[in-house]
Amino acid sequence: MNSFYKKDAWQIIEEGFHPGRMKESESIFSIGNGYMGQRANFEEHYSGDSLQGSYIAGVYYPDKTRVGWWKNGYPEYFAKVLNAPNWIGIDITGDGEPVDLAKSEIKSFTRILNMKEGYLERSFAVVISGDKTITVNSRRFLSMEEPDLGIIRYSVTSEDFDGKLGFTVYIDGDVKNEDSNYDEKFWEEISKEINGNMGVLVTRTLKTDFHVATGMIFEFLKDEEVITVMPDNTIREKYVAATVLLDVRKGEKIDLYKYVTVLSSLNNKKEHLLTDTHDRLGDAKEKGYARLFAGHTREWEKIWATSDVKIEGDISAQQAVRFNIFQLNQTYTGKDSRLNIGPKGFTGEKYGGSTYWDTEAFGLPFFLKTAEKNVGKNLLLYRYKHLEKSIANAEKLGFKNGAALYPMVTMNGEECHNEWEITFEEIHRNGAIAFAVFNYIRHTGDEEYMADYGLEVLIGISRFWSQRASFSENLKKYVILGVTGPNEYENNVNNNWYTNTLAIWTLSYTLKNLRILAKENPDKLSDIYKKTKFNFSEETSRWEELIKLMHLPFDNSRGIFLQQDGFLDKEINPASIIPSDERPINQHWSWDRILRSCYIKQADVLQGIYLFENQFDTETIKRNYDFYEPITVHESSLSACIHSIIASRIGKIEKAYELYLRTARLDLDDYNNEVSDGLHITSMAGTWLAIVEGFGGMKILDGKLFLHPQIPSYWESYSFHARFREILFEVRVTSESIDIYNLSGEELDLSVSGREYKIEGSNSLCLNVKADSIA
């Protein structure tokens, strides 16, 4: 752990230049707007260690799989969101000497990520030509109001000399991914043009043939007045630039405004890209920086009004949760059902920017509670649209009759992950997608979704579970063999409790909804039967048998669910005995040693208890928590948040706080020494959930909202916003009171710590913890 950045409620602040942490800071200070994203690379040339990253949502390349031993069923490629043309470039010179912070003498350096208004700002002073000093201030943002626009205000001041400043403003499409399997470049040029202060580069991706137009237009101001410039234009393969040389006097400041638009064939016709780019650039320049920035900040104001968490008395926790909320909303806005949430978002190349089960298990609950229901619905529609390809994925592995296996990693519905223990065995992802349908409906009340979309998905997944299970004559039970559960430090195990539990639940939930629809809309059900070729009596008779006879490993002596068959054959020792210089174990131990150990990467049994908490009494939850948490090393970003929520539910509030802080500051403090690869976007949702579902005790059962607020001793107070059935409310908690504000017009019915209440629209409920006996 390394608390490197200055603590501030609304900002991430880096003071001083630290080249050894460049890649980490590039990740931390990334910006995005759901449509595209940008790592915190410098505008000016930097020859030091850096990971250049500009990303466009939905634009990807199928990089050919590279494995040592090919196995039948392997996908042919790993889909990767590409490092796209670099649009931020502004090289500068002072009296002919290039500024390069890897080589220049630096007098001061500060970098700030302003989360309230959504921009990155950087200031530095540098010595040029031996003894002359210039200061630079750059601010950039990706517009949340007009998401195809990126804007940079780049200001240079001569501190102590009269001379010349040179600016080369450019777009560079000659880029590649560092994680390219065969060191290929994935872009080729279609066209380019540069005319004075406006340039456009049009490129296309190999294989997938996405066309992207990246255009720029710029202007210079001196003393706040626009000045006329005569740029020298440069054009070469995949590159357009304009160079301007300006006289500057001591104390004088020159402002450069660079307006950029990025248009792709996902949203624009290929043949219109060039003209559309010209139009967008003209419109952006006409509106100007101030107007565009004002529109951008208004959108952030709306976001914070429905998702902010306020913590008093703990600046470290406050900064962390806002950082996580900020990055989540930069990554996904829910406006396009073709897009999803990559585990690294727009902050790095690891995991390819593709979709994992993380979305349904962690990302969806956050957006269900903070955004309008169409945002969560679009996440589900993304999976619905991939149903046919998920059926094709299952067919490749030998499944039949419409069984669907959703991919572990995907961009378009096809599986593109090539580690056998994940691709073939981590099948619990199917259960997460089925549960997401249930979770969406219970949060929003959108019952029509089940008939229109959800039931088809549930049938496909239930067919998979039916075919994946086999009958054990020895146990006289159905078993699911050769799987990997959420704990990826165990591979090829039999009867992972979490996986088997999800299979039973999915089959039961599908049966329940088939019967409901048979009563309420038999014509619609008939259409679904025809579309899916479903035979109710034949298929569901097996489902009923599986539900009744599924094997769920259990240890009677301890009263706990076993992670899988034979788990107790391991030597059980707490993770606390592992020497600190051997943590994380995935960076120090052999894989063989990890597999033989009892240590758990992330919540596995406890992941199931989190999902189905209402099925277990408190003592059962405690026994399982007390057994599994001490042997969990939390080396997945998805781990600490689940443990924190469960700890809150069983009254271990201080342990919950410890785990909350770990998940909240996972990236800011780089717990696992991996932030240089990018941030952990999906686990950031778990940070928010650890407060709202953990400390706040929010849950939804049988269509009703429940709260059971508690407060860590480290906090003076905390508050959060959340939604239930489109009703927005705010909860404020201190050690003495719980105040709930209904911010919508409809009545809010809820239970608070076991007591029933009604709050009229635009009214509040104020409870004294001691007086109302709800401690």
Side-chain angles (χ1 to χ4, degrees):
M1 184 180 72
N2 181 10
S3 296
F4 180 75
Y5 305 102
K6 185 178 178 181
K7 303 295 193 299
D8 185 275
W10 278 108
Q11 299 180 116
I12 310 299
I13 303 170
E14 178 183 12
E15 295 181 327
F17 184 61
H18 305 278
R21 291 189 54 87
M22 183 57 63
K23 287 186 177 180
E24 289 86 346
S25 291
E26 287 174 345
S27 298
I28 293 291
F29 290 87
S30 295
I31 58 173
N33 61 9
Y35 175 90
M36 58 181 172
Q38 174 65 49
R39 281 173 62 85
N41 310 114
F42 297 161
E43 288 88 359
E44 67 279 353
H45 174 70
Y46 180 69
S47 61
D49 190 26
S50 174
L51 174 62
Q52 195 276 326
S54 301
Y55 309 105
I56 306 166
V59 174
Y60 69 94
Y61 177 85
D63 198 9
K64 187 178 179 182
T65 296
R66 186 168 191 166
V67 293
W69 181 18
W70 188 270
K71 297 177 178 65
N72 288 334
Y74 266 176
E76 295 183 0
Y77 68 89
F78 192 103
K80 294 173 178 176
V81 171
L82 301 184
N83 181 18
N86 176 15
W87 60 270
I88 65 172
I90 303 172
D91 288 345
I92 57 172
T93 61
D95 276 353
E97 179 179 317
V99 172
D100 177 354
L101 295 191
K103 299 176 180 178
S104 303
E105 179 186 343
I106 301 168
K107 286 188 171 182
S108 64
F109 180 96
T110 303
R111 181 160 31 188
I112 296 173
L113 183 67
N114 184 304
M115 300 179 288
K116 189 171 186 178
E117 297 186 318
Y119 65 82
L120 169 63
E121 187 161 14
R122 185 168 55 99
S123 300
F124 63 89
V126 64
V127 177
I128 57 170
S129 298
D131 60 353
K132 303 172 184 177
T133 301
I134 61 171
T135 57
V136 176
N137 176 273
S138 69
R139 177 186 289 189
R140 69 173 177 247
F141 65 94
L142 288 169
S143 175
M144 293 294 283
E145 183 179 51
E146 302 185 48
D148 62 321
L149 295 181
I151 298 95
I152 301 172
R153 185 190 67 195
Y154 197 87
S155 304
V156 183
T157 302
S158 167
E159 294 296 330
D160 53 17
F161 71 98
D162 298 344
K164 291 187 179 294
L165 294 177
F167 299 81
T168 298
V169 189
Y170 66 88
I171 297 169
D172 184 6
D174 190 21
V175 296
K176 68 176 183 179
N177 278 51
E178 283 197 2
D179 68 350
S180 169
N181 284 342
Y182 295 91
D183 202 32
E184 295 177 285
K185 292 183 178 180
F186 302 143
W187 295 92
E188 69 177 16
E189 178 187 297
I190 294 177
S191 67
K192 57 183 175 289
E193 61 179 40
I194 181 76
N195 184 12
N197 68 337
M198 184 169 71
V200 181
L201 176 67
V202 183
T203 51
R204 64 175 290 273
T205 61
L206 302 177
K207 296 184 181 179
T208 44
D209 196 38
F210 291 106
H211 289 211
V212 172
T214 308
M216 68 174 184
I217 192 168
F218 62 86
E219 61 184 354
F220 283 93
L221 282 72
K222 187 181 290 188
D223 296 326
E224 308 302 324
E225 295 291 332
V226 176
I227 59 175
T228 301
V229 297
M230 298 294 292
D232 289 329
N233 294 147
T234 302
I235 192 164
R236 60 174 185 262
E237 185 180 4
K238 301 181 188 176
Y239 179 89
V240 294
T243 299
V244 175
L245 195 62
L246 297 174
D247 292 321
V248 65
R249 302 183 69 82
K250 177 181 176 180
E252 199 167 45
K253 182 181 73 165
I254 294 175
D255 295 313
L256 163 63
Y257 290 90
K258 182 178 182 180
Y259 304 94
V260 173
T261 188
V262 179
L263 303 180
S264 82
S265 55
L266 273 173
N267 303 297
N268 298 72
K269 291 182 178 180
K270 293 177 180 177
E271 60 271 24
H272 296 162
L273 275 176
L274 193 58
T275 55
D276 289 349
T277 300
H278 286 177
D279 291 343
R280 292 297 291 132
L281 290 174
D283 182 62
K285 186 171 178 290
E286 181 179 353
K287 288 178 178 176
Y289 177 88
R291 182 175 166 187
L292 291 170
F293 184 67
H296 168 72
T297 56
R298 280 195 302 270
E299 292 302 308
W300 272 111
E301 185 177 5
K302 294 175 187 176
I303 290 168
W304 288 115
T306 63
S307 63
D308 191 22
V309 171
K310 299 177 183 177
I311 300 170
E312 292 186 336
D314 190 343
I315 190 65
S316 184
Q318 177 66 87
Q319 180 187 47
V321 70
R322 281 188 173 139
F323 178 68
N324 288 278
I325 296 167
F326 176 72
Q327 292 292 350
L328 281 159
N329 282 289
Q330 286 199 130
T331 302
Y332 186 75
T333 59
K335 297 175 182 178
D336 189 339
S337 63
R338 297 170 300 175
L339 305 180
N340 209 272
I341 307 167
K344 295 292 184 184
F346 298 122
T347 70
E349 297 178 5
K350 192 174 182 181
Y351 303 126
S354 302
T355 300
Y356 285 62
W357 71 287
D358 306 25
T359 288
E360 285 72 29
F362 297 88
L364 177 66
F366 168 79
F367 286 106
L368 288 176
K369 291 178 174 68
T370 62
E372 295 178 354
K373 73 177 183 180
N374 66 292
V375 174
K377 185 174 183 178
N378 276 338
L379 284 172
L380 292 188
L381 288 175
Y382 177 89
R383 294 295 194 178
Y384 174 76
K385 292 175 181 178
H386 291 171
L387 177 58
E388 291 305 313
K389 287 190 176 179
S390 297
I391 292 171
N393 292 335
E395 288 175 348
K396 292 175 184 176
L397 302 183
F399 296 90
K400 301 176 181 178
N401 189 35
L405 176 59
Y406 274 88
M408 186 65 184
V409 177
T410 195
M411 288 296 300
N412 65 357
E414 292 180 292
E415 177 64 76
C416 62
H417 194 283
N418 52 36
E419 295 177 25
W420 67 269
E421 67 272 21
I422 306 299
T423 307
F424 302 152
E425 297 196 340
E426 203 161 334
I427 55 176
H428 66 83
R429 72 239 193 192
N430 251 12
I433 291 163
F435 191 85
V437 175
F438 163 74
N439 211 10
Y440 166 76
I441 292 172
R442 72 169 171 173
H443 273 84
T444 65
D446 183 5
E447 300 288 348
E448 293 181 358
Y449 185 86
M450 179 61 71
D452 292 341
Y453 308 103
L455 197 51
E456 291 178 50
V457 171
L458 291 174
I459 288 171
I461 293 173
S462 294
R463 283 169 161 169
F464 172 82
W465 290 128
S466 179
Q467 294 177 39
R468 187 63 168 78
S470 56
F471 189 74
S472 166
E473 286 293 342
N474 180 48
L475 293 173
K476 304 301 182 186
K477 293 277 189 177
Y478 282 94
V479 295
I480 300 180
L481 308 178
V483 302
T484 297
N487 172 26
E488 292 172 339
Y489 289 175
E490 296 271 11
N491 303 147
N492 200 33
V493 302
N494 294 334
N495 296 306
N496 172 256
W497 181 86
Y498 173 71
T499 302
N500 289 18
T501 297
L502 277 174
I504 294 171
W505 178 87
T506 303
L507 292 166
S508 300
Y509 185 59
T510 308
L511 274 168
K512 174 184 176 181
N513 282 282
L514 285 168
R515 288 167 177 151
I516 289 173
L517 202 58
K519 292 180 180 179
E520 297 182 354
N521 196 341
D523 291 340
K524 180 67 175 179
L525 184 61
S526 178
D527 291 341
I528 293 172
Y529 282 175
K530 289 176 184 177
K531 186 174 183 180
T532 60
K533 299 179 182 179
F534 188 74
N535 185 314
F536 181 87
S537 59
E538 181 180 314
E539 297 194 51
T540 61
S541 61
R542 177 171 170 84
W543 295 2
E544 296 274 15
E545 190 174 9
L546 284 165
I547 294 166
K548 182 179 178 181
L549 295 176
M550 182 69 76
H551 173 52
L552 294 171
F554 187 80
D555 178 60
N556 289 307
S557 63
R558 291 176 174 83
I560 62 169
F561 307 115
L562 288 184
Q563 185 175 275
Q564 71 262 350
D565 286 348
F567 184 78
L568 291 179
D569 293 340
K570 294 172 176 286
E571 185 176 339
I572 307 297
N573 291 307
S576 59
I577 72 169
I578 303 172
S580 60
D581 61 359
E582 295 182 19
R583 303 286 293 268
I585 62 174
N586 62 23
Q587 296 178 20
H588 294 89
W589 288 12
S590 69
W591 193 244
D592 169 71
R593 185 181 179 187
I594 290 173
L595 290 175
R596 288 185 287 108
S597 79
C598 68
Y599 299 121
I600 298 171
K601 181 182 181 185
Q602 67 190 81
D604 196 306
V605 167
L606 296 181
Q607 183 78 28
I609 288 175
Y610 161 69
L611 291 182
F612 305 114
E613 178 222 350
N614 61 304
Q615 297 180 14
F616 311 111
D617 60 56
T618 301
E619 288 306 311
T620 297
I621 297 172
K622 282 182 177 178
R623 285 195 303 272
N624 281 275
Y625 181 90
D626 289 343
F627 179 77
Y628 284 109
E629 197 284 326
I631 58 176
T632 301
V633 290
H634 300 296
E635 290 175 11
S636 164
S637 65
L638 304 175
S639 183
C641 56
I642 296 299
H643 287 81
S644 177
I645 293 168
I646 296 176
S648 290
R649 297 277 173 92
I650 59 177
K652 295 178 180 284
I653 196 70
E654 300 311 310
K655 183 65 175 179
Y657 172 79
E658 173 194 326
L659 290 163
Y660 158 76
L661 205 60
R662 179 186 177 99
T663 190
R665 297 196 66 87
L666 177 72
D667 289 323
L668 286 176
D669 293 343
D670 202 4
Y671 270 88
N672 291 334
N673 301 313
E674 56 186 8
V675 167
S676 58
D677 293 330
L679 306 178
H680 297 85
I681 300 299
T682 44
S683 79
M684 289 177 169
T687 299
W688 192 89
L689 295 172
I691 292 178
V692 174
E693 293 185 352
F695 302 138
M698 179 178 173
K699 57 185 176 181
I700 298 166
L701 295 174
D702 299 323
K704 188 170 183 179
L705 173 65
F706 291 79
L707 296 170
H708 182 66
Q710 304 172 81
I711 185 167
S713 60
Y714 302 93
W715 296 355
E716 297 171 10
S717 71
Y718 70 97
S719 66
F720 62 85
H721 294 79
R723 291 179 186 268
F724 172 63
R725 305 291 168 93
E726 293 297 277
I727 298 175
L728 179 66
F729 60 93
E730 182 181 4
V731 179
R732 298 179 186 173
V733 183
T734 71
S735 59
E736 298 180 349
S737 64
I738 300 169
D739 299 334
I740 303 169
Y741 301 84
N742 183 350
L743 304 178
S744 302
E746 298 179 40
E747 180 181 87
L748 176 63
D749 296 339
L750 76 165
S751 171
V752 183
S753 300
R755 298 178 65 175
E756 308 290 323
Y757 298 96
K758 294 181 183 291
I759 308 176
E760 298 295 328
S762 303
N763 276 279
S764 61
L765 171 69
C766 301
L767 302 172
N768 182 293
V769 170
K770 294 179 181 178
D772 290 284
S773 300
I774 60 170

